[in-house]
Every structure is written in structure tokens, then in C-alpha cells.
Amino acid sequence: MEDVVIVGAGAAGLTAAVYAGRKRLKTILVTGPNIGGETNSTNDIQNYPGYEGPGPELMKKFWEQAKKWGAQILEARVTKITKPKDFVLELDNGQKLESKTVILCYGRERRKLNIPGEDKFFGRGLSTCTTCDSPLFPNKETAVIGGGNSAVEGALELARIAKKVYIVHRRDVFRADEVTVEKARQEPKIEIITNAVPVEIKGDKFVKSLVIEDVNSMQKRELPLQGVFSEIGWETHTSMVQGLLETNAAGEIMIDAHCRTKTSGLYACGDLTCIPYKQTVISAGHGATAALEAYKFVTGGKGH
Ligand code: NAP
């Protein structure tokens, strides 16, 4: 029987592991291979207090610190969590863990376009991260799909490097902040195409074009280019914990200010929750909160 099982090893999970370790809780950290999570995809962190530099390096420090405080690491995926009495976690390697508390911090996944060419050209001209991969497209023709802050900010970043950037958005109203959209409209290298959806990514070994379709006229247009960035947001997967928590309209896990879900002893923190700003520093703070709550629960049984 564990005191706490932490699911996920991004900024939230690794911080929770440090706090749980320092409280001498019997802790297992279950994680997939991507130790460090989303912070790993940022090459230039400028807003983590006390640290400026590549995301993976910061996450390596988190990881070393979690190990130092005794977190037992288990590489596996959790497939189901139930709570007959204490929590039971089923893993994809057939193992079962029992624990008094569980902290969920496995992040979210990038939404997929579900169009032909998406899988084939991923990493061959198709990317889901302008921040990470813009430097790979100097003087190239590119497109960014999406109308949120990630897409429009990404297009502006890309325009500093690429020759041409199309923004392809399925509506004519943007989710991105108006000031950012205004900047994009004024950038000569950017061409904004609204009311259009991507229907196919074409190429041979690498991307050669993006086919888009006007949502009103259904007319297709093929944009010759070498780079496509899909920046269409995120999805949170919660089916493995069905019944134990509530989600909001965006599918994010509802928590209170103590990182508590609706089930006593079950906490969530980081990007998979309803917290408004998905930032490394915020995830780290919430990881600490969740671990301290777990400690309170294990030692005093004072959950809620
Ligand atoms: P987002 O705000 O959810 O925007 C996703 C965009 O992709 C939307 O415009 C959506 O269109 C479009 N989309 C979704 N599915 C699509 C599909 N299948 N085909 C074509 N288009 C599709 O995601 P995000 O831009 O990644 O931002 C996530 C969160 O992080 C937001 O809260 C955002 O404000 C925040 N963020 C903030 C900053 C900043 O403050 N500097 C920077 C980046 C991100 P519809 O609009 O039609 O739904």
C-alpha cells in the first residue's frame, strides 16, 4: 500500500514528488517516457523565476531533485483507476498499485487534425510546435493552422525566419488576443486565410503542399509549401478515472484551490486541470499544493 501515487512526471508531478519525498510519504511516480512533459518542448524559458534557458535542462533539475528525495519511479501507463476502498491503479504492464491517495498530473495531448498526410508527414515538414520547430524553416513557405494564441503567436515567430506564412483558420473570428491578430495582419510575410479547413497534407518524403477547403464554397486550394504547423489546441483524457471526478466544458479536470477533485484523496494539478494559465511555474506550485494535501490526508485523514 502506497501513501501516494503520482501519475505523470512533468513540472507538476516532479514537484509533487519532491514535496511528498520530503514529507516521507511512501511514493511511487508512474510516468511514460517523456520525463519533463510539456516544458521539454520549450527551448527558451524566460519566465521561470531563478532560471532562464532550455526547458529540458530545467526539467532535468526537477527530475534529479525528485530522485534525491526518494521518489520511486515506475515507467508504465495507468489504464484505470478505481476506488473500491483505497485507490487501485491498473497499469498497462499488468501490474496493480494500491494507494491511499493519487495525484493526477499527466498533462494533456495535442488535438489532431485527422486528415490524410498527418501521420505520414509528422516530423517531415509537419510540426505541432512553432516555438520548437520554427528555426527549421529558414526562407521556406509555411502554414500555421488554427486561430488561437498559439497559432497566431506562432505565425509571428515563424515570420521572423520563414519566407511566407499562411494562417489557416476555420472561422473568421479569432480566439487569439486582438492585439496579436492585429500584429499578424500588419506582418507582410503573413497571409491570413479564414473560413478554411485543411483537408490534406501532400508530399513525397517531405511536405510539399497543404490542401485547404473554403467552408462556404467548398472550393479547394492547394498551397505549395514546405512546412505545416498544426496549432489547434489540446485534449485532456480522463476516461481512465471516470466517475471519480468532474470536468468542465473544455474537458479539463475540475479542482478547488487545494487541487482536490470531487473524490476524497484524489488530487489533480498542472495542465490537465481547469486552472486558467498553463505555465510551468503554476504547475510546479500546484504540484506542491497537491502533495501537501495528500500528506494532510494520509496523516490526519482530514480530506473533505
Ligand atoms: P485554443 O485556444 O484552443 O485554439 C485552438 C484553435 O484551433 C481554435 O482557433 C480552433 O478553432 C482551432 N481548431 C481546433 N480544432 C481544429 C480542427 N480540427 N481544424 C482546424 N482548426 C481547429 O488553443 P491554443 O491556441 O493552443 O491555446 C491554448 C490556451 O493557451 C489558450 O487559453 C490560450 O489563450 C493559451 N495561450 C496563451 C498564450 C499567451 O497568453 N501568450 C500563448 C499561447 C497559448 P475555433 O476557434 O473555431 O474553435
Side-chain angles (χ1 to χ4, degrees):
M1 172 71 72
E2 309 302 325
D3 288 327
V4 54
V5 174
I6 299 167
V7 187
L14 294 171
T15 306
V18 170
Y19 271 74
R22 291 189 72 257
K23 290 290 188 190
R24 301 272 183 252
L25 293 176
K26 198 163 167 264
T27 305
I28 289 193
L29 177 65
V30 184
T31 173
N34 183 19
I35 311 276
E38 194 51 27
T39 309
N40 281 342
S41 65
T42 309
N43 260 329
D44 186 16
I45 292 194
Q46 299 173 343
N47 54 6
Y48 193 87
Y51 177 87
E52 284 180 292
E57 261 178 45
L58 177 61
M59 288 299 99
K60 194 163 170 270
K61 289 175 192 281
F62 274 49
W63 172 235
E64 297 298 338
Q65 207 167 345
K67 281 197 293 189
K68 176 181 153 188
W69 287 106
Q72 205 190 320
I73 319 285
L74 188 60
E75 195 173 320
R77 285 198 178 276
V78 176
T79 53
K80 198 170 182 188
I81 303 176
T82 50
K83 191 175 190 276
K85 184 170 171 281
D86 293 300
F87 290 96
V88 177
L89 294 93
E90 293 175 31
L91 309 185
D92 63 354
N93 61 9
Q95 214 176 327
K96 275 189 185 178
L97 300 175
E98 271 189 89
S99 183
K100 293 173 192 163
T101 64
V102 173
I103 300 176
L104 304 173
C105 37
Y106 51 84
R108 28 176 211 168
E109 277 183 18
R110 288 180 188 271
R111 199 173 278 139
K112 286 195 80 175
L113 292 163
N114 293 318
I115 58 172
E118 183 174 29
D119 291 335
K120 180 174 173 193
F121 293 111
F122 187 78
R124 296 169 174 273
L126 170 66
S127 163
T128 52
C129 180
T130 39
T131 311
C132 327
D133 293 335
S134 288
L136 302 175
F137 295 88
N139 236 2
K140 304 282 188 212
E141 297 191 277
T142 60
V144 180
I145 301 163
N149 274 316
S150 299
V152 183
E153 282 183 16
L156 283 163
E157 198 176 328
L158 195 51
R160 292 173 50 219
I161 295 158
K163 182 160 84 183
K164 166 100 189 170
V165 184
Y166 298 98
I167 294 178
V168 178
H169 180 35
R170 64 185 178 184
R171 295 186 297 144
D172 55 5
V173 176
F174 283 83
R175 279 179 201 274
D177 301 335
E178 195 44 53
V179 284
T180 314
V181 178
E182 207 40 58
K183 260 195 214 164
R185 288 192 203 286
Q186 281 163 15
E187 166 55 58
K189 284 187 187 173
I190 294 181
E191 179 179 337
I192 298 177
I193 304 174
T194 53
N195 293 319
V197 288
V199 289
E200 186 173 359
I201 299 167
K202 288 182 169 178
D204 42 34
K205 255 181 123 175
F206 296 95
V207 168
K208 286 203 153 162
S209 68
L210 173 69
V211 184
I212 59 173
E213 185 177 281
D214 187 286
V215 294
N216 300 314
S217 67
M218 311 283 275
Q219 257 194 346
K220 287 197 173 80
R221 177 177 166 194
E222 189 163 347
L223 308 172
L225 40 69
Q226 297 81 47
V228 177
F229 288 84
S230 173
E231 288 277 13
I232 61 168
W234 304 81
E235 274 173 341
T236 309
H237 298 288
T238 53
S239 54
M240 69 171 174
V241 262
Q242 238 171 21
L244 298 181
L245 43 76
E246 277 161 2
T247 53
N248 63 12
E252 299 164 331
I253 298 174
M254 299 293 290
I255 52 166
D256 65 10
H258 298 243
C259 295
R260 295 180 294 208
T261 66
K262 76 168 190 181
T263 301
S264 216
L266 180 64
Y267 308 94
C269 47
D271 288 359
L272 51 65
T273 69
C274 58
I275 54 162
Y277 305 108
K278 315 298 189 196
Q279 298 291 310
T280 301
V281 67
I282 292 174
S283 293
H286 277 216
T289 303
L292 293 174
E293 280 297 325
Y295 173 71
K296 198 164 104 184
F297 182 85
V298 169
T299 54
K302 286 209 172 59
H304 65 293

